[in-house]
Amino acid sequence: MAAESSGGPTARPSHWLMAAGIYCFFAVFLIWPILQIVYTGFADKQGHFTTEYLRLIFTDPTLVAGLRNATILSICVTTLTALIALPLAILTTKYEFPGRKLLSGLLLIPLILPPFVGAIGMRLVLGRFGPLSQLLGLGDVGFDWLGSSTMLLGFLDSRLLGIACIQALGLYPIMLVNLQAALANIDPAMEQAAANLGASRWRVFRKITLPLMRPGLFAGCTLVLIWSFTELGTPLMFDFYVITPVQVFKQITEVSDNPLPYALVVVMLLASTGLYLIGKLVLGRQQAAATTKGGTASALKVLSGWRGAAATAAISGVFCLAVVPHLSVVLTSISTTGAWYKSLLPASLTSAHFVDALSNNLVLPSIRNSLQYASIATVLASIIGLGIAILLVRSRIPGKGVLDALAMLPLAVPGLVLAFGYLSISVLLRAKFPEQTGVNGSLKFLNVQEYPVVLLILSYAARRLPYIVRSAVAGLQQTPVDLELAAANLGARRSTVLFRITVPLILANLIAGALLAFSFAMLEVSDSLILVQRAEFYPITKAIWELTGGLGDGMYIASALGVWAMVLLALTILASNELLGKRMGAMFRA
């Protein structure tokens, strides 16, 4: 018993059983959806292999333009997030200046609102006679920032650049937490040795610091690159349709008899993989050198006088820019309908939209639905994630690298791809079992048109599983196994050891991972927009999308719903950050 618990030569039968169940989960709910998309994209109506659908994509000028725009957008967003996050990470990790701790926490605020929701308020800010036009003195002439298409540098659509800026302001915290974690793991003795040999600060950074922080830079760039390449919500909210994710979304109604959307998703998957491999080739080298942290404590360098003031001002400036989408949503939610027009601020304020939201047929049911979906998905992900963490840290099961890679795969697989995979499985099962998956059939829960709840919850759980796994693994690695061995040697059953010793010791980590999983599931965009088609099952993000398309005060009520979601997500992010501290970066590593 003791030898097995401490890592003996053989694995327990219970570990083998646990591993079998987890591999089945990945096979059915992660690998199968991806393979189903690939198969449908390369198979004709007789089931024979064909590349005809791919040929159609690359001969269609509109679809090619969509792929080009998606690629340009992802590169622009990744570049902007790196330019924002790298200086912030260095300042907050290596220097002490007035307000550092407060500002370090405030920099994570963009995580509390997906760019999709922030785009609601920005539509008013960037309108022809919106606040930006007024701020620039355009007055009654105005400028339609969203409707005007101007080519910059001969290839970059000005609207695409605007979307990139908004996404970068929303996604840079993902890059930031990875870079902060990477910097914290660098042995300061190496930088000190280079400085003692006469190297300048720039040379130390270029030759020592930057190469050693490549793993964090690679992790952050990978997630932002894939996220922005497949982001559906923001371009959709800005009515920018010549981009691949939106083109896929617009063809959802044709998936039953048209394989072209599947082929388009296959192209997105291949492109995402290609971007990942390029990033790994450029940034992922020499990772082993950065994984060992030395024993020398890194003392923060104090910036005083004008240097400290400049650091505080720089970070405050980034924070102010980053919260513009959040403030715009808040202002939209309290603005009287039509009052934010030709003025820098709303001409009149009201709380009526929050009241109206309570009586709206979509709002309260969507909140209730999201709470249910996210809660069940979080419980499911927590059970599976804890099992994976135990296998990775406390067992001798072979193939741990494969298991860890599968657990992290949802971070690298675009949400749009996985959601479309679940949709394709539903279409397949409807075709094979029409009666069983019908309205009164025993398998109707596999038909997203009739009852999308089950597949939506499974999609949420699979997408957010990495947060639980990373958090639980970190907790187990920091918890001595001796306490578990002592309880086992005193005759405690394995279940007793698990629930009375192991889980209580890593409870803070589990809660932090669960909070992140729950909060992001509450505001999941791609899965919600694609899988849910009936109003009675709408989650929050689907309700927001439907409300923004309504006339009158629809956008204002959607903003009020976004504010409620923002508050909820803010509380969970702050709680997770308090529990995890610098380990927060591990939640966002692919």
Side-chain angles (χ1 to χ4, degrees), residues 70-155:
T71 303
I72 293 173
L73 177 64
S74 64
I75 294 173
C76 289
V77 173
T78 305
T79 302
L80 288 173
T81 54
L83 292 175
I84 294 171
L86 185 56
L88 295 178
I90 294 173
L91 281 174
T92 56
T93 305
K94 291 186 170 296
Y95 296 94
E96 180 65 59
F97 51 87
R100 183 184 69 87
K101 290 185 178 180
L102 174 62
L103 290 172
S104 296
L106 292 177
L107 287 174
L108 297 179
I109 279 184
L111 281 176
I112 71 174
L113 191 69
F116 163 74
V117 181
I120 301 174
M122 294 304 293
R123 286 177 63 173
L124 287 177
V125 173
L126 299 176
R128 176 178 292 276
F129 299 105
L132 183 58
S133 295
Q134 304 305 314
L135 184 64
L136 296 178
L138 297 177
D140 294 333
V141 178
F143 184 81
D144 192 356
W145 303 91
L146 298 178
S148 301
S149 180
T150 303
M151 299 306 294
L152 306 175
L153 303 176
F155 68 92

Side-chain angles (χ1 to χ4, degrees), residues 39-50:
Y39 170 78
T40 310
F42 285 104
D44 59 20
K45 293 184 178 180
Q46 288 72 40
H48 301 140
F49 176 82
T50 180

Side-chain angles (χ1 to χ4, degrees), residues 105-454:
L106 292 177
L107 287 174
L108 297 179
I109 279 184
L111 281 176
I112 71 174
L113 191 69
F116 163 74
V117 181
I120 301 174
M122 294 304 293
R123 286 177 63 173
L124 287 177
V125 173
L126 299 176
R128 176 178 292 276
F129 299 105
L132 183 58
S133 295
Q134 304 305 314
L135 184 64
L136 296 178
L138 297 177
D140 294 333
V141 178
F143 184 81
D144 192 356
W145 303 91
L146 298 178
S148 301
S149 180
T150 303
M151 299 306 294
L152 306 175
L153 303 176
F155 68 92
L156 179 59
D157 192 307
S158 58
R159 293 176 299 169
L160 203 63
L161 181 60
I163 295 172
C165 292
I166 292 172
Q167 288 191 2
L169 290 174
L171 298 178
Y172 81 81
I174 296 177
M175 183 88 70
L176 177 62
V177 293
N178 276 285
L179 294 180
Q180 287 175 329
L183 284 169
N185 285 329
I186 294 177
D187 189 348
M190 302 183 71
E191 297 172 308
Q192 293 168 6
N196 291 336
L197 291 173
S200 64
R201 291 182 179 179
W202 168 245
R203 185 173 179 81
V204 171
F205 172 77
R206 187 166 53 90
K207 294 293 187 179
I208 305 294
T209 308
L210 188 58
L212 289 177
M213 62 188 296
R214 271 183 180 160
L217 189 60
F218 168 68
C221 286
T222 298
L223 290 177
V224 172
L225 196 70
I226 294 175
W227 193 323
S228 56
F229 180 76
T230 59
E231 165 68 17
L232 169 63
T234 310
L236 192 62
M237 191 65 72
F238 282 158
D239 299 327
F240 188 79
Y241 300 131
V242 188
I243 191 167
T244 304
V246 177
Q247 291 172 335
V248 171
F249 178 72
K250 291 296 183 180
Q251 298 184 58
I252 285 180
T253 56
E254 304 175 12
V255 294
S256 297
D257 53 8
N258 182 12
L260 192 61
Y262 295 97
L264 197 55
V265 174
V266 169
V267 173
M268 288 186 66
L269 181 60
L270 294 176
S272 299
T273 304
L275 292 172
Y276 174 85
L277 293 176
I278 292 172
K280 190 172 183 63
L281 180 65
V282 175
L283 300 172
R285 295 172 296 174
Q286 300 179 2
Q287 291 195 30
T291 57
T292 303
K293 182 177 179 178
T296 306
S298 178
L300 296 178
K301 299 177 182 177
V302 178
L303 296 178
S304 58
W306 69 268
R307 290 185 176 86
T312 302
I315 295 182
S316 299
V318 173
F319 168 72
C320 291
L321 283 176
V323 297
V324 168
H326 307 71
L327 293 177
S328 66
V329 172
V330 173
L331 287 175
T332 303
S333 68
I334 60 176
S335 171
T336 303
T337 302
W340 205 0
Y341 181 74
K342 290 188 177 182
S343 60
L344 190 59
L345 294 173
S348 60
L349 304 179
T350 180
S351 60
H353 303 307
F354 289 92
V355 177
D356 292 342
L358 296 176
S359 59
N360 187 277
N361 293 330
L362 289 180
V363 173
L364 285 182
S366 71
I367 294 175
R368 182 183 64 249
N369 290 340
S370 284
L371 287 171
Q372 292 176 350
Y373 303 159
S375 298
I376 298 173
T378 300
V379 171
L380 179 60
S382 297
I383 294 172
I384 298 172
L386 178 60
I388 294 172
I390 291 174
L391 292 177
L392 293 177
V393 181
R394 295 286 195 259
S395 80
R396 279 292 183 178
I397 292 289
K400 290 184 182 181
V402 175
L403 183 61
D404 187 47
L406 286 173
M408 295 301 108
L409 186 60
L411 287 179
V413 175
L416 183 66
V417 171
L418 197 58
F420 213 84
Y422 280 88
L423 182 62
S424 66
I425 289 175
S426 176
V427 172
L428 173 68
L429 294 176
R430 287 207 313 269
K432 288 185 175 294
F433 309 103
E435 294 184 1
Q436 292 88 337
T437 56
V439 178
N440 300 316
S442 58
L443 299 178
K444 73 172 185 178
F445 62 89
L446 297 176
N447 184 347
V448 296
Q449 288 185 339
E450 296 296 333
Y451 191 76
V453 173
V454 173

